[in-house]
Amino acid sequence: MTIYLDNNATTALAPEVREAMLPHLFGEFANPSSPHSAGMAARRAVSEAKAQVAALIGAKPADLVMTGSATEATHAAILGALRVIEETDHHRDHIVTTAVEHPAVLALFDDLRQRGWRVSILPVNRDGLPSLVDLAAVVTEATALISMMWANNETGVLMPVEGASAIAHAHGALFHSDAVQAAGRVPVDCGIADYLTLSAHKMHGPKGVGALYVRKGAPFHALIHGHQERRRRGGTENVPGIVGFGAAASLASLWLASFRKEEADLTAFLRDRLEQGILVRWPGAVVNGAGAARLPNTSNIRFADRRGHPVEAEELLMRLDRAGIAVSMGAACSSGGNEPSHVLTAMGLSDAQAAASLRFSLSRYTTATEVDAVLSELPALHARLVVA
């Protein structure tokens, strides 16, 4: 059976989520826009699920727009805001993001640059953190929007979103945060943002459903037109997916509440156990982003031989896979390419060092037995791959 430590790519569907979805996959299949009783029951299910998702981030259900993915939600937020600004506030032609954002954001900003927007990409330090001093230096009264992720998907580093939001709002700019990796793993408060992006499948919900928080009164123009979602996102609602998202969000809320009540955060404990065990068993290994606050489930580790030369992590990944252990070399959307991780190179790593790094991402279902099984494989792999 696979020991799955690639939960930042996707998570297993929680049993409770599957049970919540099943009725809407089979017997209760009505369109929630239909006026009959079956349709109204579907509408109630969608409304209840939105309330569960909203509760996770301290929002109101009316503030949420359900989407087909987090990427769609991100595009809807940024393009929807900038469309309004273009029409109403012509002097604002500048947007800002960081060098370590998800490709969905960076690719969009690259496209916006080609459309005439002035774009600033903030650098990061060795731990993957942008400087708020640098941010304040580039933001002006011409800045329309800042987009900064809540937590990095490759390193788990928690970004200074509260400070970035304050800088944006002090200059009359809008603030968007990709909270996909953070929501359900650490507390996320929508109050600091104008727009937040969420995804179900990162918190043991189904794939194919995301959510966008839009602050009441924030400028927004629909990306997909239609009458659904208060005319903010057209298309028949994915009722099973939305119900699953709601169930997953409710479970995540309960889990977050449990360790806020001084119960040990077992995921963080196991992450640290895995991390420390790897460093002991693989001399020369380094944790990327170790100097910053991180998500409790994520560890990005750089491997080297006894002379300090980077070890090809792809070979290590394949050997772990043959041993039944699933990890990754970075973002799932980027894997399979030949380019080094843009996150790690932005942190100052060489291409070879970036290619020597693996991401281990746990879930709240990861066990101590699984962590110990991974650690038991390391000495033999070290002996095979490290130059004597």
Side-chain angles (χ1 to χ4, degrees):
M1 189 170 183
T2 299
I3 297 174
Y4 185 78
L5 299 181
D6 193 20
N7 289 279
N8 284 11
T10 195
T11 56
L13 197 69
E16 298 92 333
V17 173
R18 183 182 64 244
E19 291 304 310
M21 293 175 66
L22 281 175
H24 302 279
L25 287 167
F26 299 103
E28 300 173 18
F29 55 83
N31 188 319
S33 294
S34 296
H36 46 65
S37 58
M40 288 187 284
R43 171 57 52 195
R44 285 193 297 273
V46 168
S47 297
E48 291 167 6
K50 289 180 73 172
Q52 292 172 312
V53 177
L56 179 63
I57 60 170
K60 296 178 180 178
D63 298 330
L64 291 188
V65 180
M66 307 309 294
T67 65
S69 66
T71 297
E72 182 198 324
T74 291
H75 280 62
I78 295 172
L79 294 176
L82 297 184
R83 169 72 179 271
V84 175
I85 289 170
E86 282 181 314
E87 296 173 351
T88 61
D89 205 351
H90 304 292
H91 81 283
R92 292 190 183 269
D93 61 351
H94 176 234
I95 53 178
V96 185
T97 192
T98 81
V100 294
E101 297 297 310
H102 190 276
V105 171
L106 290 175
L108 176 56
F109 268 64
D110 186 56
D111 182 68
L112 288 166
R113 179 190 284 112
Q114 295 177 47
R115 297 192 207 179
W117 287 88
R118 292 188 299 115
V119 174
S120 293
I121 306 292
L122 287 178
V124 296
N125 64 16
R126 293 287 296 188
D127 285 317
L129 286 169
S131 163
L132 291 179
V133 173
D134 290 346
L135 178 62
V138 301
V139 175
T140 71
E141 299 308 307
T143 303
L145 177 140
I146 297 171
S147 181
M148 180 182 290
M149 63 191 350
W150 204 288
N152 188 265
N153 50 305
E154 294 194 29
T155 63
V157 168
L158 294 167
M159 306 291 270
V161 290
E162 189 169 354
S165 172
I167 291 170
H169 293 153
H171 290 81
L174 298 163
F175 183 71
H176 163 261
S177 184
D178 165 7
V180 165
Q181 296 292 344
R185 292 174 177 155
V186 293
V188 170
D189 180 1
C190 70
I192 73 164
D194 300 293
Y195 313 94
L196 279 179
T197 299
L198 307 171
S199 181
H201 78 100
K202 306 295 188 181
M203 60 177 78
H204 303 285
K207 298 177 184 65
V209 58
L212 171 63
Y213 162 79
V214 181
R215 177 183 55 78
K216 184 177 181 180
F220 184 76
H221 188 277
L223 183 66
I224 301 173
H225 297 281
H227 72 269
Q228 294 88 354
E229 294 296 301
R230 300 187 176 196
R231 299 188 179 278
R232 295 175 299 181
R233 198 274 189 182
T236 301
E237 293 92 342
N238 173 7
V239 178
I242 294 170
V243 167
F245 198 167
S250 182
L251 288 172
S253 293
L254 290 172
W255 181 75
L256 286 168
S258 72
F259 76 74
R260 282 204 295 264
K261 292 177 181 175
E262 299 183 358
E263 292 184 19
D265 180 355
L266 181 59
T267 305
F269 172 80
L270 292 177
R271 190 275 309 271
D272 292 345
R273 178 169 171 163
L274 174 67
E275 197 168 87
Q276 292 158 14
I278 291 174
L279 297 182
V280 168
R281 289 162 176 78
W282 198 294
V286 176
V287 178
N288 296 319
R294 291 175 290 153
L295 291 172
N297 77 312
T298 306
S299 183
N300 192 299
I301 297 183
R302 183 167 79 248
F303 294 87
D305 63 22
R306 290 193 179 93
R307 292 179 290 187
H309 298 152
V311 170
E312 280 290 335
E314 186 173 5
E315 176 67 18
L316 180 54
L317 183 151
M318 290 188 294
R319 289 181 181 272
L320 287 169
D321 188 49
R322 286 196 287 271
I325 300 164
V327 299
S328 68
M329 291 183 66
C333 57
S334 301
S335 62
N338 295 320
E339 295 297 316
S341 160
H342 73 282
V343 171
L344 299 181
T345 55
M347 292 166 62
L349 275 65
S350 68
D351 287 0
Q353 288 174 323
S357 301
L358 289 180
R359 180 184 68 186
F360 300 80
S361 48
L362 288 63
S363 81
R364 60 178 180 263
Y365 299 115
T366 302
T367 67
T369 300
E370 289 176 322
V371 167
D372 291 343
V374 174
L375 294 176
S376 71
E377 294 289 334
L378 264 294
L381 291 175
H382 184 268
R384 291 191 192 102
L385 296 178
V386 170
V387 177

